């Protein structure tokens, strides 16, 4: 069983709490529970720059699961997940007029599967059932961000519900001493207020080993994604719902090469993604309101390279890069436009020595694009600076079952542009400054 008690504190404006609990009844049954809490607070002036306001965001998540696994290939789980958000958006420090919001998102269901193995093949078949519900209650200012304006009438959304029933399976067959081929498929039956869907999702993979160190692989598979209830129905002063949002469908293609020998690992992959009705978030260029929409098409072609090496029994490092050209067509017949990012460079080092461990990971994102949409036009804004994500982790086993941890996010305290809102770089969202996380893990 593991208990984790880390907390993040950033000048009393950001606090994150985490608790994890695992209990093993016997060799077949186990129970797990996890709780996450995130609370953000800050003070600022309202849109008129003359009334001090306070922002608070309280986000709590619960995950519970009972799992069963035995030596005969049976695997099953029953789960329950809940996310509750309370968000008194904007109010005067001594409030007489309070804007507020509460939402509750639940998922619960079961998933069970059976695996068969022989000398030449492995088969799997499974079934799952899930129910998902969402509701939201809020009361907003009539004028966005202005706490001196009157409140609108309370708004209620939901409870909305979705039922998802699935049958899935796979078959891994050895064609020769060097080659395996894997067929897999999933049939999803979805029933909800957003519409009914029957989706068949096939995939085929092939792997050929030239020797024990070198291999090549290829994969083709279909993807499917439903819009969330919040995408469909949630509304506020700056968010517009889209109950007509469609599910997205696509195909993913991948071919690659792997090498592994003497602590060195290399992976080179070429990929292609084609999606229809992609669900994307945009801002209207006229009223600056955000909403979800279906882009007619999305495509992305690129390559990914990753190299890892174990220098010795204590020290390892990795480097990698992704170069791609993601593009969207928002309406059928329009031109393809650039979106997201063109390249990403990653690197990391890890060190372990007896009771001490350390890890540093960096990720550099460049040549990024943001799209804005209105009924008249589509814009492409290139974000003016790159983004550097940096994380440091330190751990020390202070006792037999106790590990102390220390983490730093945004190690170099950079103020990078995380995203662009609206139509220009005058409306920016920046990364959070350097934050620290201290934790204690207890195993028993």
């Amino acid at each position: 069983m593991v208990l984790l008690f880390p907390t993040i504190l950033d000048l009393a404006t950001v606090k994150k709490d985490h608790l994890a609990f695992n209990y093993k009844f016997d060799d077949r049954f186990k129970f797990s529970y996890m709780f996450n809490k995130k609370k953000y607070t800050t003070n600022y002036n309202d849109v008129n720059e003359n009334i001090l306001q306070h922002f608070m965001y309280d986000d709590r998540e619960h995950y519970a699961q009972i799992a069963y696994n035995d030596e005969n290939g049976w695997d099953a789980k029953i789960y329950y997940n809940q996310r509750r958000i309370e968000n008194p958006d904007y109010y005067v420090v001594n409030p007489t007029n309070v804007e507020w919001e509460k939402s509750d998102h639940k998922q619960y269901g079961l998933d069970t599967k059976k695996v068969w193995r022989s000398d030449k093949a492995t088969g799997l078949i499974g079934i799952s059932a899930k129910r998902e519900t969402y509701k939201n209650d809020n009361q907003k200012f009539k004028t966005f961000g202005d706490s001196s304006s009157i409140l609108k009438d309370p708004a209620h959304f939901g409870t909305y519900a979705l039922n998802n029933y699935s049958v899935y399976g796979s078959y891994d067959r050895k064609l020769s001493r060097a080659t395996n081929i894997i067929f897999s498929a999933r049939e999803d039956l979805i029933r909800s207020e957003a519409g009914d869907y029957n989706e068949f999702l096939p995939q085929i993979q092939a792997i050929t080993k030239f020797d024990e160190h070198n291999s090549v692989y290829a994969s083709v598979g279909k993807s499917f994604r439903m819009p969330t209830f919040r995408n469909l129905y949630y509304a506020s002063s700056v968010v517009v719902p889209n109950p007509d949002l469609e599910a997205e469908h696509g195909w993913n293609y991948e071919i690659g090469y792997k090498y592994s020998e003497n602590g060195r690992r290399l992976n080179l992959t070429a990929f292609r993604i084609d999606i229809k009705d992609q669900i994307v978030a945009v801002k209207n260029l006229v009223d600056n309101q955000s909403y979800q929409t279906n882009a007619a098409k999305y495509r992305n072609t690129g390559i990914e390279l990753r190299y890892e090496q174990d220098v010795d029994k204590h020290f390892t490092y990795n480097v990698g890069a992704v170069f791609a050209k993601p593009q969207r067509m928002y309406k059928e017949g329009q031109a393809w436009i650039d979106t997201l990012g063109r390249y990403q460079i990653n690197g990391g080092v890890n060190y372990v020595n007896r009771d001490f461990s350390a890890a540093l990971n960096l990720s550099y994102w460049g040549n990024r694009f943001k799209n804005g949409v209105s009924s008249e036009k589509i814009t492409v804004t290139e974000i003016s600076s790159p983004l550097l994500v940096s994380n440091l982790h330190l751990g020390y086993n202070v006792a037999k079952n106790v590990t102390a941890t220390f983490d730093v996010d945004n190690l170099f305290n950079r103020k990078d542009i995380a995203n662009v809102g609206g139509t220009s770089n005058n409306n920016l969202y920046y990364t959070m400054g350097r934050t620290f996380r201290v934790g204690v893990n207890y195993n028993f």
Side-chain angles (χ1 to χ4, degrees):
M1 185 160 58
V2 181
L3 294 178
L4 307 174
F5 304 100
T7 298
I8 297 178
L9 187 62
D10 180 16
L11 299 179
T13 60
V14 181
K15 183 178 181 180
K16 298 184 181 180
D17 297 320
H18 173 75
L19 168 67
F21 175 86
N22 297 284
Y23 186 79
K24 190 174 183 179
F25 296 99
D26 53 34
D27 291 337
R28 293 176 298 174
F29 283 97
K30 63 181 180 180
F31 170 77
S32 62
Y33 170 77
M34 184 171 67
F35 170 74
N36 294 316
K37 177 182 176 181
K38 293 170 285 192
K39 189 171 183 178
Y40 304 85
T41 59
T42 188
N43 293 327
Y44 65 100
N45 288 334
D46 72 351
V47 292
N48 298 316
E49 296 295 331
N50 56 12
I51 300 177
L52 183 64
Q53 296 187 329
H54 182 70
F55 172 84
M56 190 275 283
Y57 180 89
D58 191 315
D59 186 350
R60 305 185 184 203
E61 298 172 304
H62 301 268
Y63 302 92
Q65 176 179 286
I66 297 177
Y68 172 87
N69 181 273
D70 66 25
E71 65 278 3
N72 298 316
W74 283 102
D75 188 294
K77 64 180 180 181
I78 300 174
Y79 61 89
Y80 175 85
N81 305 327
Q82 182 183 30
R83 183 181 184 186
R84 301 185 66 181
I85 299 175
E86 293 190 12
N87 180 201
D89 285 334
Y90 309 100
Y91 59 89
V92 183
V93 172
N94 296 311
T96 57
N97 205 27
V98 180
E99 184 178 70
W100 57 271
E101 177 180 349
K102 295 181 181 180
S103 66
D104 193 351
H105 191 181
K106 297 177 182 178
Q107 293 183 358
Y108 51 92
L110 61 88
D111 190 339
T112 183
K113 58 181 178 285
K114 166 70 173 174
V115 177
W116 294 269
R117 291 184 174 89
S118 68
D119 293 339
K120 292 187 176 181
T122 299
L124 178 151
I125 188 167
I127 59 173
S128 68
K130 179 181 73 173
R131 181 169 176 81
E132 185 175 349
T133 64
Y134 174 79
K135 65 178 180 179
N136 181 285
D137 295 278
N138 66 64
Q139 189 173 18
K140 304 291 186 178
F141 292 128
K142 188 171 184 180
T143 303
F144 172 70
D146 184 357
S147 60
S148 63
S149 69
I150 63 172
L151 288 167
K152 298 179 181 178
D153 292 333
H156 176 75
F157 304 94
T159 300
Y160 302 109
L162 176 151
N163 295 324
N164 187 354
Y165 310 99
S166 302
V167 178
Y168 58 92
S170 67
Y171 183 69
D172 183 346
R173 177 74 179 182
K174 185 178 288 296
L175 299 182
S176 68
R177 295 181 61 183
T179 302
N180 279 50
I181 191 165
I182 305 168
F183 300 95
S184 59
R186 182 183 185 96
E187 176 73 22
D188 277 324
L189 283 73
I190 299 172
R191 302 293 181 265
S192 76
E193 286 90 342
D196 296 339
Y197 296 89
N198 298 330
E199 290 296 326
F200 180 67
L201 307 175
Q203 184 180 31
I204 183 170
Q205 304 173 70
I207 303 172
T208 296
K209 294 183 178 180
F210 299 119
D211 53 40
E212 62 182 32
H213 306 301
N214 298 274
S215 63
V216 294
Y217 60 93
S219 173
V220 179
K222 187 180 180 182
S223 65
F224 169 78
R225 184 165 71 103
M226 282 282 294
T228 66
F229 289 127
R230 192 174 180 88
N231 296 158
L232 292 163
Y233 305 116
Y234 176 74
S236 73
S237 301
V238 292
V239 177
V240 178
N242 185 0
D244 298 322
L245 200 60
E246 296 288 340
E248 67 177 41
H249 308 74
W251 286 89
N252 303 312
Y253 310 88
E254 188 174 303
I255 186 169
Y257 164 77
K258 288 184 178 181
Y259 166 80
S260 179
E261 184 178 13
N262 297 329
R264 297 188 298 270
R265 295 170 295 278
L266 174 68
N267 192 348
L268 177 62
T269 305
F271 60 87
R272 169 77 178 191
I273 302 172
D274 287 300
I275 295 177
K276 293 183 178 179
D277 294 325
Q278 187 192 33
I279 300 170
V280 296
V282 297
K283 276 199 172 183
N284 192 302
L285 302 179
V286 177
D287 57 20
N288 212 34
Q289 289 188 316
S290 298
Y291 64 98
Q292 300 284 328
T293 188
N294 290 111
K297 296 178 182 179
Y298 170 84
R299 66 186 183 189
N300 190 8
T301 303
I303 58 172
E304 180 176 359
L305 174 67
R306 181 175 176 84
Y307 177 78
E308 301 175 79
Q309 181 167 343
D310 302 329
V311 179
D312 54 34
K313 65 179 181 180
H314 303 298
F315 180 71
T316 65
Y317 71 88
N318 66 82
V319 293
V322 180
F323 299 94
K325 189 176 177 61
Q327 293 183 311
R328 287 197 187 108
M329 179 187 295
Y330 278 88
K331 293 184 179 180
E332 197 68 45
Q334 291 182 341
W336 290 97
I337 63 173
D338 294 325
T339 189
L340 303 176
R342 291 284 186 86
Y343 70 87
Q344 179 179 336
I345 300 172
N346 307 306
V349 293
N350 296 272
Y351 179 81
V352 178
N353 190 358
R354 293 184 180 179
D355 295 325
F356 177 73
S357 63
L360 173 65
N361 291 285
L362 306 174
S363 183
Y364 183 89
W365 302 10
N367 208 190
R368 298 178 295 148
F369 297 89
K370 174 73 173 180
N371 302 145
V373 179
S374 72
S375 58
E376 292 81 18
K377 62 179 180 177
I378 300 171
T379 66
V380 183
T381 302
E382 183 170 3
I383 299 178
S384 59
S385 65
L387 170 66
L388 176 64
V389 179
S390 55
N391 303 296
L392 173 67
H393 169 80
L394 302 175
Y396 186 77
N397 299 326
V398 297
K400 182 179 178 180
N401 297 319
V402 181
T403 302
T405 61
F406 178 72
D407 295 87
V408 183
D409 296 332
N410 193 1
L411 179 63
F412 305 110
N413 200 29
R414 290 171 59 95
K415 188 179 180 181
D416 290 332
I417 299 172
N419 206 345
V420 175
T423 62
S424 72
N425 286 351
N426 295 324
N427 189 5
L428 306 177
Y429 299 93
Y430 289 95
T431 55
M432 187 182 299
R434 183 188 296 118
T435 59
F436 304 90
R437 182 167 64 250
V438 178
V440 176
N441 303 347
Y442 181 59
N443 300 272
F444 59 93

